[in-house]
Amino acid sequence: MPTIGFAGLGLMGAGIAGNILKGGYPLEVLAHRNRQPIDDLVAKGATEARDAAQLGADCDIVFLCVTGAPQVEALIEGEAGIRAGAKRAGRDALVIIDCSTSEPTVTRRLAESLAAEGFDLIDAPLGGTPTQATAGELQAIVGADDGVLERVRPVLETWTSKIIHVGPVGAGHTMKLLNNFLAMGYGAIFAEALTIGAKAGITPQTFDSVIRGSRMDSGFYRTFFQYVLERDRDAHRFTLTNAHKDTRYLASLAEAMNVEAGVAKAVRDLYASAESQGDGEKFVPELSDIVASRHHLSLA
């Protein structure tokens, strides 16, 4: 079986890596800030790499599940990067699978550069939650050539319930940004709607009594309002920093495509303002409190 490398053992990555290991694949993992996930995986049979170059040297397939484009580039490039390790080891084949939510332009540039050396990069950003990651029930939104996808499909199937092939390299990240634009857009709309309603005497409970079960209901609405109504911070664990990053990438993509994207820029700016005031580590539903507090309101 191919040896699998993994960098990025956060809320999503740790669950994915655990399912790859359960699938019987040899797994080599790279430590980051939090030792607990890597120690858990090593205790179950994984080995620990000293750096990204060792992943490139030892592994046939390397997964990246990190914050964004700068972190992806740092892991691939440089003397201690995956590319350098693979070249020094004399590897003639390597597939890097980027599960991050990254910039499509960077993804395509890296893929072209790696292809010149016989290596493949595909994008497979994630749909789902940390709970689904642990259960092996995520969606993979894949940008790849057909042949490369078929080579890695058995590994993807260890942690997915659905693999959606949306086009060539870069298409996965593009579709993920569009998906997150919709989600973060709704988050921004919900936050402002609740504040306007509160100013006019409409409580969150009254708001919910109309929306829940209507055509405007959704899974995202349910987790957002699980926080609004029940104060459950774990209902939707996606930080405002990540929301700002994703909406910033989407606005940049629109600009590169010569699309006037006023709504995207407005959504981006709301998340940017929340991060700039020091609330970046709060979760998306908490944007409702941030917007309300700016108008001297409390939704609790």
Side-chain angles (χ1 to χ4, degrees):
M1 300 180 79
T3 297
I4 311 301
F6 208 102
L9 298 172
L11 290 173
M12 303 293 271
I16 295 170
N19 281 298
I20 292 171
L21 195 60
K22 287 178 186 176
Y25 289 93
L27 182 67
E28 191 168 291
V29 289
L30 183 63
H32 189 39
R33 291 171 295 182
N34 184 1
R35 287 292 314 178
Q36 182 179 344
I38 198 164
D39 289 341
D40 288 346
L41 289 164
V42 168
K44 294 173 182 174
T47 58
E48 182 175 354
R50 63 181 176 275
D51 55 22
Q54 186 176 349
L55 293 181
D58 294 348
C59 301
D60 304 291
I61 301 169
V62 178
F63 283 87
L64 309 180
C65 193
V66 292
T67 304
Q71 292 77 21
V72 170
E73 289 190 278
L75 284 164
I76 292 174
E77 306 289 30
E79 284 301 306
I82 294 167
R83 181 204 301 266
K87 289 173 68 176
R88 285 196 293 267
R91 299 194 68 88
D92 58 5
L94 170 68
V95 181
I96 301 172
I97 303 177
D98 183 9
C99 295
S100 316
T101 301
S102 192
E103 292 189 81
T105 52
V106 173
T107 302
R108 289 191 291 268
R109 174 171 53 78
L110 287 170
E112 290 172 5
S113 175
L114 288 161
E117 295 166 345
F119 306 143
D120 294 293
L121 171 68
I122 71 174
D123 43 323
L126 311 171
T129 66
T131 299
Q132 289 172 305
T134 301
E137 296 174 350
L138 292 174
Q139 288 186 349
I141 306 166
V142 180
D145 293 338
D146 291 342
V148 179
L149 174 56
E150 291 313 307
R151 280 162 52 196
V152 302
R153 184 181 290 275
V155 187
L156 297 179
E157 288 175 341
T158 65
W159 53 268
T160 58
S161 61
K162 191 174 185 180
I163 298 169
I164 310 168
H165 188 193
V166 295
V169 174
H173 282 146
T174 299
M175 188 62 233
K176 176 63 173 177
L177 290 179
L178 294 172
N179 178 85
N180 283 17
F181 171 44
L182 295 177
M184 298 309 107
Y186 271 118
I189 290 169
F190 293 157
E192 290 195 353
L194 284 164
T195 292
I196 295 167
K199 276 280 189 179
I202 300 295
T203 67
Q205 290 76 15
T206 299
F207 186 98
D208 181 68
S209 71
V210 174
I211 303 302
R212 189 175 296 264
S214 76
R215 292 180 64 192
M216 294 308 300
D217 200 348
S218 67
F220 181 90
Y221 175 86
R222 293 291 179 107
T223 56
F224 194 99
F225 270 75
Q226 192 171 328
Y227 170 76
V228 172
L229 299 176
E230 302 173 24
R231 301 283 111 181
D232 180 3
R233 288 193 74 243
D234 290 330
H236 194 110
R237 293 182 293 171
F238 193 77
T239 67
L240 294 170
T241 292
N242 279 333
H244 175 213
K245 182 261 296 182
D246 290 354
T247 53
R248 186 175 73 248
Y249 284 178
L250 188 279
S252 296
L253 178 63
E255 184 175 349
M257 299 292 104
N258 295 313
V259 175
E260 288 291 333
V263 173
K265 292 174 183 176
V267 172
R268 174 201 63 193
D269 291 347
L270 181 57
Y271 287 101
S273 70
E275 184 177 25
S276 69
Q277 72 181 45
D279 290 322
E281 292 309 304
K282 291 183 178 179
F283 296 138
V284 166
E286 293 177 272
L287 184 65
S288 59
D289 292 334
I290 293 167
V291 174
S293 69
R294 293 174 180 175
H295 297 273
H296 310 292
L297 296 169
S298 173
L299 301 177

